[in-house]
Amino acid sequence: MRTVFNSLILLFFSTASFAQQGTISIEQDPKIDALVQIYKSSPDIAAVYRIQIYFGSLNDAKDIKMQAEGDYPDWYSKIDFISPSYRVRIGQFKTKLDAERNLMDVRKKYPSAMLIQPEKKQS
């Protein structure tokens, strides 16, 4: 009995002493990091508040967008098509408070401007 017990202890310590230790290094193409940064900064995936300043025909939307780019050159602007009309949306605001403050300023120039809340992401 004692021999079996000693054998089991010896077997346990011999396997523990031969366990492998090491480090893992992952080599990744630097282009992957650049793509991830582009994906993160893409305005279409970010959950942000936007201000809609126009909806209607495409020709008028293009004119309003150009005018808005002149009025707010540092803000992102985009024409979205949601059937049956085109919508011009400007700005990207992370908080509702920031968006509402800017909306008051935008309404001086575009009285029909309205706040667009972020869309819920599909999981």
Side-chain angles (χ1 to χ4, degrees):
M1 182 74 157
R2 186 173 184 154
T3 332
V4 174
F5 181 71
N6 287 339
S7 298
L8 287 175
I9 290 178
L10 182 62
L11 181 64
F12 174 73
F13 283 116
S14 66
T15 38
S17 65
F18 290 113
Q20 297 180 2
Q21 301 267 335
T23 58
I24 297 174
S25 64
I26 299 173
E27 294 183 25
Q28 178 175 302
D29 190 343
K31 292 178 184 177
I32 292 174
D33 290 330
L35 287 174
V36 168
Q37 292 304 318
I38 291 170
Y39 179 78
K40 285 181 180 178
S41 66
S42 174
D44 291 332
I45 62 160
V48 292
Y49 289 88
R50 315 220 33 234
I51 297 173
Q52 180 173 303
I53 58 173
Y54 173 79
F55 69 95
S57 70
L58 178 60
N59 289 335
D60 290 341
K62 288 179 181 178
D63 292 340
I64 296 291
K65 180 179 183 275
M66 286 179 54
Q67 186 179 8
E69 287 174 345
D71 293 337
Y72 305 99
D74 296 333
W75 290 6
Y76 176 78
S77 63
K78 182 179 180 183
I79 297 175
D80 291 327
F81 176 73
I82 301 173
S83 185
S85 61
Y86 293 86
R87 292 145 168 38
V88 178
R89 296 178 176 172
I90 60 173
Q92 295 178 333
F93 309 100
K94 292 185 179 184
T95 65
K96 187 173 183 177
L97 181 62
D98 190 30
E100 287 175 344
R101 286 179 182 157
N102 285 293
L103 176 63
M104 291 185 340
D105 183 47
V106 170
R107 279 198 175 150
K108 293 175 186 173
K109 179 92 176 166
Y110 304 95
S112 63
M114 58 193 244
L115 188 63
I116 304 296
Q117 295 189 8
E119 297 178 5
K120 293 182 180 177
K121 293 185 180 184
Q122 301 288 331
S123 324

